[in-house]
Amino acid sequence: MNQNPTDAGPAMPDARLPGQPGPGEGRPFPQHEEDKGRLNEMWRNRPQWVRRGEAVFHLMRIKFARAILLPQLTPDLAFDLRQTVRKEGQLTRGYILMCALAAGIATLGLLQSSTAVVIGAMLVSPLMSPIAAMGFGFASLDGHRIRDAIKVVAIGAGIGILTGMLLTWLSPIRNATPEILARTEPNLLDLAVALFSGIAGGYSTVIGKGGTAIGVAIATALMPPLTVIGYGIGVFQPMFAMGALLLFLTNLAAITFAFAVIARLSGAARPLGRVELTPRYIAILIAAFLALATPLSMTLMKLSNEARIRTAARSAIVEACGNQGVTVAQLDVKTSVFGAPTVDALVIARNYTTNAAEQAEGLIRQTLGENVEINLQQVLAADVQAQTRAMVDAAMERTAAGIAADVPPFQTIRQAIGLPTRSLWTDRAQRMVYAEPVPAPGWTLADYRAVEQQATKAVSGWTVRLVPPPQPNLTVLLRQGTAAGDGQDAPKPPENAISTDLAVWTLTRWGMSKVSLSGADEPALTILSKQLSDAGIAAHIIAPPTETEASMRPKTQTAGAEPPVVATIGIYAQSPSQEAAAKAAAEKAAAEKAETAAQAE
């Protein structure tokens, strides 16, 4: 039976340090690995004060581990646990299949904005095993194990990203839901979730219980960001993909380091005296450490900067609003790599303050020395009861409408459109902004569509839908005219004729569900009707008589030339009064016809 190392007295410099296996204890390592390199020789000949420091550190580790209810593993149990973690973290076909299934379910849950589906998808995720192997590798300073574990995690991450991309392309719904947006920027709560998940995962691995439940928590912090990366690539939103990638790397680093700390405190890690210290080995350790520590440090710096801005913004807003009776109910800070930080705040005050946002921006500029854009909403409340009601209403509105950062950048959209707009309205569920500009002289429908595309590119995370000024009808060019073959040019179509795809775009923006078609032969109108039907627009064909169709040909048409084929799309339906008049006229005509027939008999 192995003796508990804490029952022994303080270790003398020449004696074996606590936790280091002696002859016959633990599992033997190959002798050639221990004697490799000059660095190993230097470590074996380390000074006495280093050995004393190791003994003190070991005793402190045991006391701290007992305080947090961590078991102390014997060398044999620690060796068996390391081998088990290494075996479970290997790359298998089952691991690849489970990663694909978990990523698929997570992607569908994110697109539906269903938290339950996202969490349920994690029940099949196998990410905990290679992460545990990576954490144990860091705790043991084992570069080979770290390299193998990183390879397995990278393959799982690649599967998650590719699955997210594929399902996003196949899905008819590609809206950026709140569940997706919540994983595009790491915050302090995300980091805390990852850290606590890693501690729980390390503890469950050491005691050998609760691995499935803890694996759900770990996968929740990792698999959804991976699928969001695929979503961002699938919808061509690089900012979404970059934010989700930073969140994934941050969570991965936090979970891995938590595993490493638990493994070292419990004695499950390999003793430091048996660490291989060759230059190649050390290079692997340093590269792996930097790969995980860099995104974690970037996130910590970002969170620190946001906390600094949040503190300054809160003080500046309260001062700008008059100090007395001012309550900052909500305050959200967003920092961008390419733009100035923005602050969205909701203030409950007794009196309204004019230009409070501009004053607060000036105060922040004096305090921090940088420009911060403030979007301030003021709610007036005279007493405590009214203030409480206003805070509750604001919280309910925040829950229903999404976080304050979901407010569209109206100013940017107006500038991108470049025209006076009658109205702007949003569809938060679809993350769309509809804009209705005033009729601009000389502008064509093609110009409005080009401006819509420019406005959509100017904003991130939102889609702009421009509603062009209405017209009573549209002239659609169905087929170009042909020349007579004697060197003359082909007949030109009308100047106001537009293409079929532009007509479909216009009708869609107007929200038309039913139109009428006329002006061309019936086969051409049938083809146009089919194209409109595919876009969800029903078309009623009004075929012209033969003589009318012939009269529509240009009088200057050259013999043998074919004029362009155009159709007219009628936008406005008959009004109720027009329908009543037409009905009355038809009834009168029928009555006269019947009377004439009766007289003839």
Side-chain angles (χ1 to χ4, degrees):
M1 182 175 181
N2 292 314
Q3 183 180 3
N4 193 324
T6 59
D7 296 337
M12 298 302 293
D14 296 335
R16 177 171 56 89
L17 293 176
Q20 291 184 342
E25 296 182 356
R27 298 293 190 270
F29 283 83
Q31 186 67 25
H32 66 88
E33 291 188 2
E34 296 185 5
D35 297 333
K36 190 184 300 181
R38 293 172 53 187
L39 293 176
N40 286 332
E41 183 68 24
M42 294 173 60
W43 176 256
R44 285 195 297 269
N45 297 329
R46 59 192 181 277
Q48 297 297 331
W49 63 271
V50 176
R51 297 176 181 270
R52 289 183 181 275
E54 290 181 65
V56 173
F57 174 78
H58 180 75
L59 294 177
M60 292 177 61
R61 175 185 66 78
I62 293 177
K63 291 182 179 181
F64 182 76
R66 284 183 173 179
I68 61 175
L69 304 180
L70 270 178
Q72 286 299 302
L73 303 179
T74 62
D76 285 340
L77 293 178
F79 180 85
D80 292 336
L81 179 59
R82 290 196 298 271
Q83 297 302 313
T84 300
V85 170
R86 175 190 174 188
K87 182 178 180 181
E88 293 179 351
Q90 292 179 345
L91 181 64
T92 61
R93 286 182 290 183
Y95 171 82
I96 295 175
L97 174 62
M98 290 301 179
C99 282
L101 293 176
I105 302 175
T107 302
L108 297 178
L110 291 172
L111 292 175
Q112 299 178 43
S113 192
S114 174
T115 305
V117 175
V118 173
I119 295 177
M122 302 306 102
L123 291 172
V124 297
S125 176
L127 287 176
M128 177 178 173
S129 297
I131 293 176
M134 190 187 308
F136 272 63
F138 272 104
S140 302
L141 300 180
D142 193 335
H144 299 299
R145 304 292 176 262
I146 295 174
R147 180 191 57 193
D148 296 341
I150 289 179
K151 177 182 176 181
V152 178
V153 173
I155 292 176
I159 293 173
I161 295 173
L162 291 176
T163 303
M165 291 173 52
L166 179 61
L167 292 183
T168 300
W169 287 335
L170 296 178
S171 174
I173 302 175
R174 302 180 183 180
N175 305 326
T177 62
E179 287 289 332
I180 293 176
L181 295 176
R183 291 169 173 87
T184 56
E185 287 192 2
N187 54 45
L188 189 59
L189 296 181
D190 295 325
L191 186 60
V193 169
L195 185 60
F196 290 148
S197 299
I199 294 174
Y203 184 80
S204 67
T205 301
V206 170
I207 66 176
K209 296 180 180 179
T212 301
I214 305 303
V216 172
I218 291 176
T220 302
L222 293 178
M223 188 59 77
L226 289 173
T227 56
V228 172
I229 296 174
Y231 169 84
I233 298 175
V235 297
F236 305 104
Q237 289 290 344
M239 298 304 296
F240 284 3
M242 291 174 60
L245 177 61
L246 181 59
L247 176 61
F248 166 73
L249 294 177
T250 301
N251 290 348
L252 177 62
I255 294 173
T256 302
F257 290 155
F259 262 97
V261 170
I262 296 299
R264 175 55 61 182
L265 290 176
S266 64
R270 186 171 59 177
L272 296 177
R274 301 174 68 84
V275 172
E276 183 181 359
L277 295 176
T278 61
R280 180 182 177 185
Y281 195 90
I282 295 176
I284 295 176
L285 285 173
I286 295 176
F289 178 80
L290 292 177
L292 293 179
T294 300
L296 182 59
S297 61
M298 292 175 57
T299 302
L300 291 176
M301 292 175 59
K302 177 178 179 294
L303 296 178
S304 176
N305 186 39
E306 290 181 355
R308 181 175 59 91
I309 296 176
R310 182 177 289 105
T311 302
R314 185 179 295 274
S315 301
I317 291 173
V318 171
E319 182 177 351
C321 293
N323 289 322
Q324 297 296 331
V326 178
T327 302
V328 181
Q330 296 175 2
L331 193 146
D332 294 298
V333 179
K334 291 190 65 175
T335 57
S336 174
V337 178
F338 305 103
T342 59
V343 175
D344 298 317
L346 174 64
V347 174
I348 301 175
R350 298 175 183 175
N351 302 303
Y352 179 79
T353 303
T354 306
N355 297 328
E358 290 77 3
Q359 296 178 23
E361 290 177 356
L363 294 173
I364 294 179
R365 192 179 302 110
Q366 295 177 3
T367 304
L368 302 179
E370 60 178 316
N371 294 325
V372 177
E373 180 181 350
I374 296 182
N375 300 317
L376 187 61
Q377 179 182 0
Q378 300 183 52
V379 177
L380 302 184
D383 51 19
V384 177
Q385 184 177 2
Q387 291 181 3
T388 304
R389 189 182 306 112
M391 294 180 67
V392 173
D393 293 342
M396 295 299 294
E397 181 181 357
R398 179 188 179 97
T399 303
I403 59 176
D406 282 342
V407 176
F410 290 115
Q411 186 64 25
T412 303
I413 294 175
R414 289 178 184 272
Q415 293 176 355
I417 293 176
L419 290 174
T421 53
R422 290 175 175 174
S423 60
L424 286 171
W425 68 96
T426 62
D427 183 352
R428 290 184 179 274
Q430 305 292 330
R431 294 191 65 77
M432 291 184 181
V433 178
Y434 293 87
E436 183 182 5
V438 299
W443 279 56
T444 64
L445 293 174
D447 296 330
Y448 287 109
R449 182 170 64 172
V451 168
E452 177 189 271
Q453 296 172 354
Q454 295 175 6
T456 300
K457 293 179 180 179
V459 295
S460 176
W462 291 87
T463 302
V464 178
R465 290 288 183 263
L466 199 69
V467 182
Q471 300 178 11
N473 53 64
L474 298 175
T475 301
V476 183
L477 177 63
L478 302 182
R479 187 170 61 248
Q480 294 283 353
T482 58
D486 54 358
Q488 297 183 359
D489 295 333
K492 295 183 179 180
E495 293 184 359
N496 61 340
I498 61 176
S499 61
T500 304
D501 62 325
L502 182 56
V504 172
W505 174 86
T506 304
L507 296 175
T508 304
R509 295 298 179 267
W510 286 341
M512 301 300 301
S513 60
K514 185 184 300 183
V515 295
S516 62
L517 303 180
S518 62
D521 55 3
E522 190 168 354
L525 293 179
T526 302
I527 296 176
L528 179 59
S529 175
K530 176 63 169 57
Q531 294 175 334
L532 295 177
S533 177
D534 294 340
I537 304 172
H540 172 62
I541 299 178
I542 304 177
T546 306
E547 58 272 12
T548 304
E549 184 177 330
S551 65
M552 292 180 61
R553 295 179 180 272
K555 297 189 170 30
T556 58
Q557 177 181 343
T558 306
E562 289 292 335
V565 179
V566 296
T568 300
I569 299 180
I571 306 301
Y572 297 142
Q574 286 186 330
S575 65
S577 60
Q578 292 174 336
E579 291 180 353
K583 183 178 180 181
E587 292 176 352
K588 181 179 179 180
E592 292 177 351
K593 183 177 181 181
E595 183 179 356
T596 303
Q599 293 177 356
E601 292 178 357

